[in-house]
Amino acid sequence: MSTKRQQSFACEIEDALGNPRDVDAPISFVRSVALDQESLFPHEEFQAVVAAGLQKGYVPTSRGGKTDDFADVMMAVRAVARRDLTAAIGHGKTFLGAVCSWDSASDETAARVAEHTLAGESISWGLTERGHGSDLLSTSVMARKTSDGGWALNGEKWMINNATRGRALTILARTGDEPGPRSLSLFYMDKEEAQGTWEYLPKIQTHGIRGADISGITLRDTKIPQGRLIGAPGDGLEIVLRCLQVTRPLCTALSLGAADSGLSAALEFAAGRNTMGHILLDLPAAQDQLADVAVDLAIAELMSVMGARHLQLNPSEASVISPSVKYLVPHIVDDIMVRITRFIGARAVLADGQLGHVQKTVRDNRVVSIFDGNSVVNLHSIVQQLPRAVRYKAPLPEATPESLISAENNTPLNYQRLMLMTTGGATMFSSLTDSANRASDALDGTGRDMAVILVKRAEALAEEAKAMRPVRNPEPEGFRLAHEFTVLLAASAVLEKVATCESENLWSDPGIASMALRRLIKMLNPQRASLPRKHQNKTKRERESAYRLLDQWRQLSPGYCISAFTPHINA
């Protein structure tokens, strides 16, 4: 593994939180499970994350934050998530509540939001309402101008994370009576300066993240000052849609953390399980199953980083890349968690014992795919842009395929360069063939054969997508093509990483590369792309690579992970 980034922000957070197996650690599995059983908010764990300084990654360096490397921030969130998703989600929601201010707030309001964020205060994102779900155009909370130039808010926001315990909310409200997006505006409501009345809705009982403050707020002539309007009147929905392109990749860090925790638990179980005189982990069948999990996790990580780098280097494509990342990563991790549950068996559903945290992680993880647009919402966004996204596009000098999956980049996010729809072409999709050609020498024969299959499927998909006509309600075939588009983006990222990665990186191993390409082909529609019989099963080289990868995982403390981007030292 590369060791050039051992002082990353993510590693600082990780080292501050320690080993969750230690009952005295700032976040321990034992205490997290106990709080979850009682549906209690993890206050001490939340404060431990604040003390570690994760919130410093939520603020741009221009506003006093710690880093502009968005992938590093994501990996820091991942570090918390693999310990306790409830704490990670409770803390991470402040990023969502603050992000619109980095886009469009006045300097005075943005400075106030930065101050609140850096102090560890919770900021909610008040978008959803009862009965409207993801339909933001149906927002009914009203904001009316007051005689002193401020605003009075009336209505109910429902199913809002940290609505009750948080310091502030960023609220989407209606400022015009006419239907349409230009009647919606955004406001920053600091409870300590707001006047009037508001009431909190009861905490909602949830299947996962039981301790989270998922509640709501009813506003009754709640008055906020004039300067708390974010952007211009009528700009609210556009700002939200731009910022969703940022928050969606961040949410995938939660998925990665869940998968880290699950794989670590499965390895711990297999290493300690004796089956008919054999250690379970020594059996080839067990190694095969866990190797597939580890490789799928590496693919998901690569996809998440690609989403972050597009925001920094190629924001004009984020409208199609961000929903692709938000769809595919939770999709992969949901499947990982199902396989881990089956692998561990009964102990995966027990709340006590050494693996009691597994059942909590599995339940908690299931909510991630719903955040910031569920799978159908994200696929629908991709379908609408697919005919343009598959057009060939030459890489920009500042956004080459290699840079779009790079381990390190400190380019600040420029929210004003985010576009609601791509103007044409997706660099990583367009570069798949070239990346496959350049990766050829680093691949073995099996890997090269599978790269050819993926390239051919990408070529065919491009022709199919170009023939599509934009419609409000796409046919099921459009959703299938959108799914395959996301898989082929991941394939392009894998091939580019293989072609350009440094020695001793996870992706420099031809066995890992060919396993990843096989896994991606299996994610495609089997009627459109399938493996020849000779490549159905792992080769000897792949099995050796898989065992080495699993052995690396086994040597880590439970709070740590194998990563191609932020190498972690075993504490």
Side-chain angles (χ1 to χ4, degrees):
M1 299 296 297
S2 167
T3 58
K4 72 175 183 177
R5 297 192 65 214
Q6 291 171 4
Q7 298 304 314
S8 70
F9 179 58
C11 291
E12 291 179 15
I13 300 300
E14 193 132 62
D15 290 339
L17 297 179
N19 185 343
R21 277 280 177 230
D22 182 354
V23 295
D24 295 322
I27 302 179
S28 75
F29 289 149
V30 170
R31 179 174 163 81
S32 292
V33 171
L35 291 169
D36 182 71
Q37 291 295 97
E38 300 297 326
S39 297
L40 296 175
F41 187 82
H43 290 284
E44 292 182 18
E45 288 72 10
F46 182 92
Q47 289 305 319
V49 178
V50 171
L54 178 58
Q55 67 277 4
K56 296 176 183 177
Y58 301 163
V59 179
T61 57
S62 61
R63 297 283 179 186
K66 175 82 171 182
T67 178
D68 287 317
D69 188 333
F70 194 58
D72 200 8
V73 175
M74 289 168 58
M75 294 304 150
V77 172
R78 175 186 185 180
V80 180
R82 62 174 155 264
R83 290 162 170 82
D84 185 352
L85 271 165
T86 306
I89 291 168
H91 192 281
K93 281 297 177 177
T94 290
F95 180 91
L96 278 62
V99 67
C100 294
S101 291
W102 316 145
D103 179 297
S104 300
S106 66
D107 283 344
E108 195 271 335
T109 295
R112 191 178 190 90
V113 175
E115 178 185 352
H116 293 165
T117 303
L118 292 170
E121 302 277 9
S122 292
I123 303 173
S124 299
W125 206 7
L127 300 183
T128 54
E129 298 176 7
R130 198 190 305 265
H132 298 155
S134 299
D135 183 9
L136 299 183
L137 281 172
S138 297
T139 293
S140 60
V141 168
M142 296 296 300
R144 297 295 188 193
K145 273 275 195 179
T146 58
S147 58
D148 62 358
W151 297 86
L153 276 60
N154 284 278
E156 178 188 278
K157 288 294 181 180
W158 179 73
M159 203 173 283
I160 306 300
N161 204 331
N162 291 331
T164 300
R165 58 175 300 277
R167 163 72 181 263
L169 301 93
T170 294
I171 296 175
L172 183 68
R174 184 168 295 281
T175 48
D177 296 325
E178 303 81 8
R182 290 302 173 187
S183 292
L184 300 176
S185 304
L186 272 174
F187 300 88
Y188 186 68
M189 174 187 162
D190 179 359
K191 296 177 185 178
E192 294 192 8
E193 74 172 1
Q195 298 177 351
T197 61
W198 58 87
E199 299 173 3
Y200 298 119
L201 302 178
K203 171 180 161 59
I204 298 170
Q205 299 301 314
T206 52
H207 178 64
I209 57 171
R210 290 174 177 169
D213 170 23
I214 309 294
S215 54
I217 188 169
T218 300
L219 306 164
R220 304 185 190 281
D221 275 337
T222 306
K223 296 178 176 60
I224 58 176
Q226 179 179 10
R228 298 300 176 248
L229 174 69
I230 299 175
D235 285 352
L237 185 62
E238 181 177 342
I239 295 169
V240 168
L241 292 177
R242 280 204 306 267
C243 290
L244 281 170
Q245 296 176 29
V246 180
T247 63
R248 283 170 172 164
L250 182 79
C251 287
T252 66
L254 302 169
S255 297
L256 296 180
D260 291 339
S261 184
L263 177 55
S264 178
L267 284 163
E268 184 179 359
F269 169 77
R273 182 74 169 175
N274 192 301
T275 303
M276 300 180 66
H278 297 280
I279 299 298
L280 180 58
L281 190 56
D282 292 337
L283 300 179
Q287 293 175 11
D288 265 9
Q289 292 180 56
L290 295 182
D292 285 344
V293 168
V295 170
D296 284 358
L297 177 51
I299 294 169
E301 175 190 62
L302 190 54
M303 192 75 171
S304 293
V305 171
M306 185 183 73
R309 296 297 177 238
H310 273 80
L311 292 169
Q312 294 176 270
L313 303 175
N314 202 10
S316 65
E317 294 180 16
S319 64
V320 71
I321 297 299
S322 289
S324 297
V325 171
K326 177 58 171 62
Y327 164 73
L328 187 61
V329 175
H331 178 79
I332 290 173
V333 173
D334 284 351
D335 183 58
I336 283 175
M337 301 310 290
V338 169
R339 283 181 280 153
I340 283 174
T341 299
R342 290 172 180 166
F343 183 87
I344 294 176
R347 287 169 178 78
V349 297
L350 299 180
D352 57 2
Q354 187 78 354
L355 300 179
H357 63 288
V358 173
Q359 53 80 31
K360 177 184 184 303
T361 302
V362 172
R363 284 186 289 104
D364 291 352
N365 172 70
R366 292 174 70 176
V367 307
V368 178
S369 62
I370 300 171
F371 290 154
D372 292 6
N374 60 31
S375 295
V376 173
V377 169
N378 284 294
L379 284 175
H380 188 274
S381 178
I382 299 166
V383 172
Q384 298 298 329
Q385 302 177 77
L386 199 55
R388 292 187 295 276
V390 297
R391 296 174 187 167
Y392 177 77
K393 181 178 182 179
L396 299 172
E398 69 275 16
T400 63
E402 181 178 6
S403 69
L404 292 173
I405 53 169
S406 59
E408 187 173 8
N409 192 287
N410 290 301
T411 303
L413 271 63
N414 184 339
Y415 292 85
Q416 298 305 313
R417 290 182 60 199
L418 296 169
M419 304 176 66
L420 298 187
M421 299 284 281
T422 182
T423 55
T427 299
M428 294 304 294
F429 185 83
S430 295
S431 67
L432 196 155
T433 299
D434 180 63
S435 296
N437 290 335
R438 288 185 290 106
S440 180
D441 290 342
L443 295 169
D444 59 17
T446 301
R448 285 191 288 272
D449 287 350
M450 288 188 283
V452 169
I453 294 172
L454 289 161
V455 168
K456 288 182 177 178
R457 180 59 199 135
E459 293 171 349
L461 184 143
E463 294 305 313
E464 294 173 59
K466 288 174 184 176
M468 293 172 59
R469 295 289 180 267
V471 292
R472 185 170 183 177
N473 298 305
E475 295 294 327
E477 179 62 18
F479 286 89
R480 286 193 288 271
L481 291 177
H483 163 78
E484 292 197 38
F485 175 78
T486 69
V487 175
L488 292 166
L489 285 176
S492 181
V494 167
L495 289 166
E496 182 63 27
K497 196 66 179 177
V498 170
T500 59
C501 72
E502 60 194 32
S503 61
E504 298 183 5
N505 187 282
L506 170 69
W507 293 106
S508 64
D509 186 331
I512 298 295
S514 59
M515 277 193 291
L517 297 177
R518 179 185 290 104
R519 297 295 301 164
L520 288 164
I521 291 172
K522 289 184 176 181
M523 293 179 199
L524 294 170
N525 186 337
Q527 296 179 342
R528 307 295 177 83
S530 59
L531 288 163
R533 185 179 297 273
K534 66 177 180 177
H535 292 323
Q536 290 286 340
N537 300 313
K538 293 183 180 68
T539 65
K540 180 181 178 181
R541 167 181 271 176
E542 290 172 357
R543 293 182 190 280
E544 292 172 349
S545 298
Y547 188 81
R548 286 195 298 271
L549 178 58
L550 294 177
D551 192 53
Q552 287 179 313
W553 269 96
R554 281 187 62 195
Q555 293 176 38
L556 297 176
S557 296
Y560 293 77
C561 77
I562 297 295
S563 168
F565 296 92
T566 54
H568 293 74
I569 303 301
N570 185 21

